[in-house]
Amino acid sequence: MRRRLVPLAALAVLTGMTPFSAAAQQVQDSGRGEPATVGSFGPLFQEPTGIECTSAQDPAPRCKPAAIAMAELPDGRQLYWNSLEGMNHVDLDVIAEYGQEALNGQSRVLDLTGPTPKWTVPTPFDGGANPQGNDKNNEYLPVVPHNNARTTNDGDLFCTDLNFLPDGRLIANGGTAYYQEPGVPGDESTGKFGVVELQGLKNTRLFDATTQTWQQVGDMQYARWYPSMVTQPDGTELTFGGVTKLIKPVYPDRPLDSGANERHVERFDPTTGRWTTLPDSANKSLPLYPRLHLLPDGKTFYNAAGQVFNPFGQAYDEALWNFVAVFDPKTQIWQSKGLPDFAGAPLGFRGSGFSVMLTLTPDQDGRYRTADFLSAGGVYGVSPGSYLATDTSTLTSIDTADGDAMTSRATGRLNTPRWYGTGTMLPTGEVFVANGGDRDHVVAPGLEAPVRSTEIYHPTTGTWTPAVSQIRGRTYHSTAMLLPDGRVLV
């Protein structure tokens, strides 16, 4: 499971967009049309200092971070952070050593507003959640020996979720702590070997773009790895899903939750910086990073999609993930809306695909009632699911004027199947998809082939048209984001 960290790239996809700088030469896929039609990529660029770590056992203590999570800050700059740092320190096997060799990921602020890109390092660089050995997040198995001697990998930003508060600060909740369980007792050298465990975090971090600083605020009650947050109409945040222990989800203090993802829902109040847990009526089994959206009526929509780890799965009740559902924050109750379409039949769950809310259209009286959601790519089904990427796309609609009634149908197929593609809404209302691989990377890491083609979905026709090909292949945990000037940063 070796990872090569790749540079960021700028991409122009809309007619009339200018290149990144006057010196940048547009890169166009020959034979695929004019840039005004299919878009064009600017040249690859990367942070000028630091080590690339392009080979295993690179002696560098820190590698240049790649953007596995990214946010557009209010001032037009971009915040991003990396994941899985320290892979280059593994000598023999990732499973046996990574619990000790992992390092907290790094965050960066990227500025693309000038003639050349600029980077600055936030304080603290890793988000500042490291508990420094106090084990506040870790839920060790009883009797089983463990090793958590390293204290620089218990506050990783990897697998947090991120969102914005009303005042412009960014909130990131959850994350990753690493240790070996079972593990050989000892220090960082003698206790190097065991079985890696990825533990969710209870931490919450806020990032202030004006000071470029991370701040720790109130902890969640439940540790979460791969949660999803949804901003509520009142400015609070609800967090859903995630898992406390990835590989061995056993909870001795609450045995009924063993073998399942985190079901509890918690609410963050930005005025107090604290979380409260909702009543058990709000509990729901959800996949990792459940695909959630805010509806026009203030409810939260689950689009029957998220992350699964085929072929082993993550929960004994994962069959429930197949059903679209709507959560009402007033009653604090979920309502199931049935099975969504998959390839022309009501088959349910889509794993490792994207879900994008399309542009809302007002009714004749100016009110927004119906919301449409595009999901595409990924793999079919919960565990054991499927292995090869799908080219299917689904259009699911929620009518808030009719009791949040759900309709779902197949829409145009992708020109190229892709797993882990990234969907980006364009200013035109179209959806641009980039990145991904031809098969599930988690099943057999490193065996997927990158999908370098890109496509654009046209809501008026329900079809996908090919766009310019990418310069660099990007599969697992890749990102793409619309910039204020209409370009897409990949």
Side-chain angles (χ1 to χ4, degrees):
M1 190 177 174
R2 305 291 189 193
R3 284 180 57 81
R4 178 180 175 124
L5 302 182
V6 297
L8 295 165
L11 166 67
V13 295
L14 299 181
T15 303
M17 295 310 301
T18 58
F20 173 71
S21 69
Q25 296 296 314
Q26 291 184 333
V27 180
Q28 180 188 350
D29 185 22
S30 60
R32 295 291 294 275
E34 293 298 321
T37 303
V38 302
S40 62
F41 279 97
L44 295 169
F45 64 97
Q46 63 179 325
E47 195 173 4
T49 60
I51 306 298
E52 290 190 49
C53 296
T54 56
S55 60
Q57 286 87 51
D58 191 307
R62 290 278 177 184
C63 306
K64 292 183 181 183
I68 66 100
M70 186 161 52
E72 179 71 29
L73 297 174
D75 60 9
R77 296 178 299 167
Q78 295 75 41
L79 172 71
Y80 68 90
W81 56 83
N82 69 327
S83 66
L84 302 179
E85 183 151 355
M87 286 283 182
N88 54 308
H89 293 171
V90 172
D91 295 317
L92 301 174
D93 182 80
V94 169
I95 298 299
E97 300 175 60
Y98 194 56
Q100 286 294 91
E101 297 301 329
L103 297 170
N104 286 350
Q106 305 175 69
S107 61
R108 293 287 191 273
V109 173
L110 173 63
D111 187 348
L112 298 177
T113 59
T116 58
K118 296 180 180 179
W119 284 262
T120 54
V121 181
T123 304
F125 74 94
D126 64 354
N130 194 50
Q132 298 181 343
N134 65 13
D135 287 350
K136 70 174 181 178
N137 292 295
N138 300 333
E139 299 186 9
Y140 301 120
L141 295 173
V143 182
V144 178
H146 65 269
N147 189 310
N148 194 24
R150 182 182 285 274
T151 60
T152 54
N153 63 5
D154 287 338
D156 198 353
L157 280 160
F158 179 46
C159 296
T160 56
D161 191 28
L162 64 158
N163 224 333
F164 280 100
L165 300 176
D167 62 6
R169 291 179 298 170
L170 181 139
I171 179 173
N173 76 320
T176 311
Y178 295 95
Y179 52 91
Q180 305 285 75
E181 186 183 44
V184 178
D187 59 23
E188 291 186 23
S189 59
T190 61
K192 181 175 181 178
F193 296 100
V195 178
V196 63
E197 176 65 287
L198 286 75
Q199 169 85 45
L201 300 184
K202 299 177 182 179
N203 295 75
T204 307
R205 311 171 230 217
L206 300 182
F207 181 78
D208 188 332
T210 59
T211 61
Q212 294 197 134
T213 57
W214 289 98
Q215 173 193 5
Q216 292 292 305
V217 290
D219 290 343
M220 296 179 290
Q221 181 177 349
Y222 299 96
R224 300 176 190 266
W225 188 86
Y226 268 70
S228 289
M229 289 185 291
V230 179
T231 303
Q232 300 300 293
D234 62 1
T236 63
E237 298 284 338
L238 292 184
T239 187
F240 303 84
V243 70
T244 297
K245 293 169 74 71
L246 171 63
I247 301 175
K248 300 174 290 296
V250 176
Y251 312 104
D253 60 335
R254 51 185 203 278
L256 294 180
D257 289 341
S258 298
N261 286 355
E262 186 52 66
R263 298 187 183 96
H264 297 89
V265 180
E266 299 184 64
R267 182 188 298 274
F268 179 78
D269 185 343
T271 60
T272 64
R274 296 183 179 275
W275 292 90
T276 56
T277 303
L278 271 57
D280 288 348
S281 62
N283 291 0
K284 182 173 178 58
S285 178
L286 292 166
L288 302 184
Y289 272 158
R291 305 314 196 241
L292 299 169
H293 305 269
L294 186 69
L295 293 171
D297 59 4
K299 300 176 186 178
T300 294
F301 167 67
Y302 164 60
N303 201 12
Q307 299 306 120
V308 292
F309 286 82
N310 298 331
F312 305 109
Q314 281 298 302
Y316 66 84
D317 56 358
E318 59 186 20
L320 300 173
W321 303 346
N322 285 289
F323 296 88
V324 164
V326 173
F327 176 71
D328 188 339
K330 295 181 180 179
T331 63
Q332 300 183 345
I333 293 175
W334 289 89
Q335 285 191 344
S336 177
K337 298 299 177 180
L339 292 168
D341 178 274
F342 198 110
L347 297 178
F349 187 81
R350 182 183 299 272
S352 302
F354 66 84
S355 176
V356 173
M357 176 189 274
L358 301 181
T359 303
L360 292 170
T361 302
D363 292 343
Q364 291 182 350
D365 59 2
R367 299 182 64 184
Y368 296 96
R369 293 190 173 95
T370 301
D372 299 320
F373 303 88
L374 174 70
S375 55
V379 292
Y380 167 67
V382 297
S383 179
S386 54
Y387 174 53
L388 297 177
T390 179
D391 63 355
T392 60
S393 297
T394 299
L395 196 62
T396 300
S397 300
I398 298 293
D399 186 352
T400 62
D402 187 22
D404 299 313
M406 185 270 290
T407 57
S408 186
R409 61 179 177 83
T411 187
R413 288 180 176 263
L414 293 164
N415 291 276
T416 306
R418 69 181 73 226
W419 172 87
Y420 233 112
T422 308
T424 303
M425 174 70 75
L426 300 178
T428 58
E430 298 165 314
V431 178
F432 173 75
V433 63
N435 307 330
D438 66 346
R439 66 199 71 192
D440 192 325
H441 167 100
V442 180
V443 175
L447 295 186
E448 81 281 14
V451 177
R452 300 194 182 195
S453 63
T454 66
E455 305 185 36
I456 296 177
Y457 178 77
H458 308 279
T460 55
T461 61
T463 59
W464 293 90
T465 58
V468 66
S469 291
Q470 293 178 251
I471 305 168
R472 181 69 62 86
R474 304 168 191 273
T475 59
Y476 183 59
H477 269 300
S478 51
T479 48
M481 184 180 67
L482 183 70
L483 297 177
D485 61 8
R487 294 174 298 165
V488 177
L489 176 67
V490 181

